[in-house]
Amino acid sequence: IAPVEREREREKTKTDLEKMMASNASSTMTTMVFRPTVSNSSSVVASSSASSSSSAAGRRSPIMQNNKFSNNNDEKNRILNRRRREKRITRGNLAVNNAITRPEIDWSKLGFGLTETESMYIAECTIDGQWKVGSIHPYGNISVSPSAAVLNYGQGIFEGMKAFRTPEDEIVTFRPDENAKRFAEGAGRMSMPPVPKDIFEDAVKKVISANRDYVPPVGVGSLYIRPLLIGTGAILGLGPAPSYTFLIYVSPVASYFKGGQLSPIDLIVEEDYHRAAPGGTGSTKCVGNYSPVLKVQLQAKKEGFSDVIYLDAKENKYIEEVSSCNFFVVKGKTIATPALEGTILPGITRKSIIELARDKGYTVEERKVGLDEVLSADECFCTGTAVVVVPVGSVTHRGKKTVFCDGKIGATGQMLYDELTGIQQGRLKDTKGWIEHVPKDYHL
């Protein structure tokens, strides 16, 4: 915002404050409460009430009756929040509006749907320029040109991360340096300017700090963090976008699959469609990799399965991935998982589980894993930022269902889940340097 506009903003805020003070003195109050809808929708619920008499006050909702001003600071914060909700922020070719404020969330009903939060992070860069530190903005819709490269040619990548609340009420995030590294590698694959590691990690901590109130209580869930790098510059012919936007938004989440975090999932093997092919973008978290899996995933869910296992595109007999997570097979004290050969996403949870398993005395092999090996395994499980560690209850291939551990979680999966989440949530000592603490008010 230009200096003149900032001065006008301050003057208007000052005037609003003076009016509010006078209103309070005459016992006249106008209150507006904004509440985020905890669902997969993007709507915002607004309630308003104005009263100048006891009869009008009786018509106010309980929330509004309790929403009284206690001191000048409360009044100032309320007006500043309202002004922030109302103003429109325009940066380059991207506009942000419709911000919302603090949450009223029923944590017991939390799932893996979108809950809009208060703030997001935005930075911009031209293709021949350098990234600069961005800033926190009210969460809201964005607008881009219809000819933006991300809309026309899918030039975009994203990441998945989480922040946790510890028993000491500290906020931490898990291995952000690894996400920064993968994000930069993905940018290179998609011909976009990589976001420097220091800017990426700083941005992640700022957006977590700004949305601290949305981090669920210990053991209830986590704050899912979604960094995006998208070509927002307008372009008609096929080519890299002239400009890019680095954006991070967050949402509190709980279990990814229905039934709860450690409920075993039922998978079906897909033999006609493939997730990725050699020489493609299977190892990149690019936006175009995920919609193609929906066709078979939705059909599988109609048939009662949780998700789909994909085979390799070359020989159609080796396990690659489930739609959004890595796959592991357990046989005795040996754990096998498909090797990273360009078609499989190098999961950060995958990498962490491999290290934890080796620490516990398991032999972990990264290699080709045949379907026959899966069907004869003692135990199978999947890993990912969203799913954490989830047991595989059964695998169905050509109509034949193979059940593992009587449809319950196996001992190995349970142990690794406990170790991983114990470190993430601060219940176990972090001896590996995986946890990054987020100071309170870091974004200010």
Side-chain angles (χ1 to χ4, degrees), residues 264-282:
I265 59 174
D266 297 309
L267 304 176
I268 185 171
V269 178
E270 174 59 40
E271 295 185 278
D272 295 326
Y273 292 88
H274 297 90
R275 177 189 170 276
T281 58

Side-chain angles (χ1 to χ4, degrees), residues 27 71 137 199 255-256 323 349 385 392 431 434 437 442:
S27 301
N71 53 48
H137 296 278
I199 291 180
S255 174
Y256 184 80
S323 298
T349 306
T385 298
V392 175
T431 61
W434 289 351
H437 289 261
Y442 182 84

Side-chain angles (χ1 to χ4, degrees), residues 18 21 52 55 97 131 148-149 170 197 224-225 271 286 335-336 342 355 378 385 391 395 411 418-419 431 436:
E18 291 171 348
M21 298 295 187
S52 58
S55 60
N97 55 21
W131 287 101
E170 294 183 347
K197 179 177 179 291
Y224 190 84
I225 307 160
E271 295 185 278
C286 60
I335 300 176
E355 188 169 336
D378 295 336
T385 298
V395 170
D418 291 343
E419 286 288 320
T431 61
E436 182 76 24

Side-chain angles (χ1 to χ4, degrees), residues 94 129 161 173 198-199 225 265 275 329 340 363 375 379 382:
L94 183 145
M161 311 171 63
T173 187
D198 57 339
I199 291 180
I225 307 160
I265 59 174
R275 177 189 170 276
V329 175
L340 302 178
T363 298
L375 300 179
E379 178 184 348
C382 299

Side-chain angles (χ1 to χ4, degrees), residues 91-104:
R91 292 174 55 82
N93 61 345
L94 183 145
V96 182
N97 55 21
N98 299 329
I100 60 176
T101 58
R102 296 181 65 173
E104 294 177 11

